[in-house]
Amino acid sequence: MIGYAVSLLLGLGMGGLYLMLRRRWRTAVELPAVVEESVTVFGEEMATLEFDVNGPDTTPAVLKEYRAALAAYDRASAARTEHDALTALRDGRAAMIRLDARRHGRPVPIDALPPAAGTGRPRPLTGTGERHVYTGYGDGTTKVLIDRPEPGRPALVEVDVTGNGGFDVATVTRTEGGAPTGGKLIWISGEYHGRCYLPADATHLSVTTDYSWNDHRWSIRVVPLSAATTLAHEHHGHGDEVLRYNGGPAVLTGRFRTGFQWQVRYVCGQCLRSWPDCDCRPPAWPRNIPGYDWSRGDLELGVGEGRYTLRLPRPGFLVIQEDRGGGSWHLTTQLVDIPPSALLRRFGRLGPRL
């Protein structure tokens, strides 16, 4: 009967009729309320998906992902254990991520786990099935397929870690037909709380905990870049953070108090890229303006306590990283007065360089 319902739905070609499956909710099995709510939310998202399986743009690959999402929801709604429900939810989310990428012409990420549930499969990657949230405990390496609030755009990752030992998070870009790439995002020891910048091209997170300890518990939440805290004229903080700068040309002055390496990086608010990928026009900085010229590089870095200056050309984002996540910092900004005539000569209509 379940297979017939899914086949009937696909034959009708109406995503909204997915509500038929939601009505067949379990009655004899009690799962945690948060898990049931996650399954219900996933079904509602499927029901509101604007997708016609018989449409002219529906390729076999797109249809395969859609069917996989439907089948995963069917498994989740009929699951008799929390593990089975969470595993099916994870598969459904992965199918939806690939479906969205194919429909919008973006690189298609390769899933981090095999799609079928079975004996010996790793435990679910999330504790409750909540979207954009990943949790884990114990030691070892966990790979997470990133579900972005705004697909194709940079995001923030909020990380909380309790316990002792080493903990690190790396970004991985792993897509169909492409060679895997990546870079270190967090490398700390002990407890940690911070926000990090997640590049638009990253498809996975690789989370590794130290094998010499067994009390690690961690959670990662992916939130939109717009959730970044606004940079105040004077801003105090500690550890890793991402701040949103809303002003015009300015000089940022900061002081770090830490025994480890730190860096401050600027991300352009117009194109959401860092140097050297950003080709937006820089301001016509007056002579003798302090600070590192963003047109020649986008970051300041150092080791231990130190003072630095960095030029901010326009609204954008500041990415602050400190190796061990425990240092403190103090930032101040001072606007730079650039004559309108100089701005017009340099910017034109604020378009990109030719």
Side-chain angles (χ1 to χ4, degrees):
M1 178 61 71
I2 291 175
Y4 174 76
V6 173
S7 299
L8 174 62
L9 177 61
L10 291 174
L12 291 173
M14 298 294 290
L17 290 182
Y18 198 68
L19 288 170
M20 291 169 56
L21 295 179
R22 291 186 57 219
R23 296 193 183 100
R24 298 186 296 103
W25 186 252
R26 68 183 66 79
T27 57
V29 179
E30 288 293 333
L31 295 182
V34 289
V35 177
E36 290 196 358
E37 177 63 21
S38 295
V39 176
T40 300
V41 169
F42 181 62
E44 291 172 346
E45 292 169 5
M46 290 292 301
T48 58
L49 182 65
E50 296 181 359
F51 178 68
D52 182 0
V53 298
N54 296 318
D57 298 329
T58 302
T59 65
V62 168
L63 187 57
K64 178 182 177 181
E65 306 296 1
Y66 185 59
R67 285 174 170 161
L70 288 173
Y73 173 76
D74 193 41
R75 284 167 38 216
S77 63
R80 302 186 63 83
T81 67
E82 181 180 0
H83 177 277
D84 289 347
L86 292 175
T87 301
L89 273 176
R90 198 216 65 85
D91 291 342
R93 293 290 183 198
M96 290 285 279
I97 293 170
R98 297 191 302 268
L99 173 64
D100 189 75
R102 293 188 191 280
R103 293 180 66 195
H104 294 91
R106 295 192 302 271
V108 180
I110 298 174
D111 200 358
L113 290 178
T119 303
R121 182 173 179 176
R123 61 178 178 260
L125 299 182
T126 62
T128 65
E130 181 182 356
R131 191 175 183 186
H132 312 305
V133 177
Y134 312 92
T135 63
Y137 58 90
D139 301 317
T141 297
T142 300
K143 286 186 169 54
V144 173
L145 178 63
I146 302 169
D147 188 2
R148 294 176 181 267
E150 300 172 328
R153 291 173 59 85
L156 302 179
V157 288
E158 300 176 341
V159 183
D160 285 280
V161 182
T162 60
N164 298 307
F167 178 86
D168 68 80
V169 180
T171 61
V172 180
T173 302
R174 189 165 176 258
T175 59
E176 293 182 353
T181 60
K184 190 71 70 177
L185 195 65
I186 299 170
W187 179 54
I188 57 95
S189 179
E191 297 191 352
Y192 173 88
H193 172 75
R195 276 183 163 187
C196 302
Y197 180 82
L198 182 63
D201 62 344
T203 59
H204 302 73
L205 295 176
S206 179
V207 183
T208 302
T209 55
D210 195 314
Y211 283 92
S212 62
W213 301 87
N214 60 10
D215 60 348
H216 266 114
R217 288 191 175 273
W218 55 267
S219 68
I220 295 176
R221 180 182 296 271
V222 183
V223 299
L225 194 57
S226 58
T229 303
T230 300
L231 174 67
H233 174 65
E234 289 199 23
H235 209 115
H236 297 265
H238 65 276
D240 296 338
E241 183 59 278
V242 180
L243 301 171
R244 181 173 66 249
Y245 174 63
N246 294 325
V251 172
L252 177 79
T253 302
R255 181 177 294 276
F256 257 85
R257 294 181 179 274
T258 176
F260 302 97
Q261 181 172 318
W262 52 264
Q263 73 171 32
V264 180
R265 179 162 55 95
Y266 170 78
V267 177
C268 176
Q270 285 186 180
C271 64
L272 296 180
R273 291 181 293 184
S274 301
W275 181 90
D277 298 322
C278 173
D279 60 0
C280 298
R281 290 180 181 272
W285 296 104
R287 293 182 178 180
N288 301 321
I289 292 296
Y292 200 76
D293 187 350
W294 176 76
S295 66
R296 294 186 289 109
D298 70 332
L299 62 83
E300 278 286 331
L301 55 83
V303 177
E305 296 191 9
R307 180 178 180 276
Y308 64 91
T309 56
L310 180 68
R311 297 181 186 182
L312 306 178
R314 62 180 62 83
F317 297 89
L318 290 174
V319 181
I320 303 169
Q321 291 180 287
E322 194 266 326
D323 269 0
R324 301 295 180 176
S328 64
W329 38 264
H330 177 211
L331 309 177
T332 59
T333 54
Q334 181 176 358
L335 293 175
V336 175
D337 184 19
I338 299 180
S341 58
L343 280 174
L344 290 175
R345 288 196 305 269
R346 193 69 178 269
F347 276 90
R349 293 182 176 271
L350 297 179
R353 294 190 183 102
L354 297 178

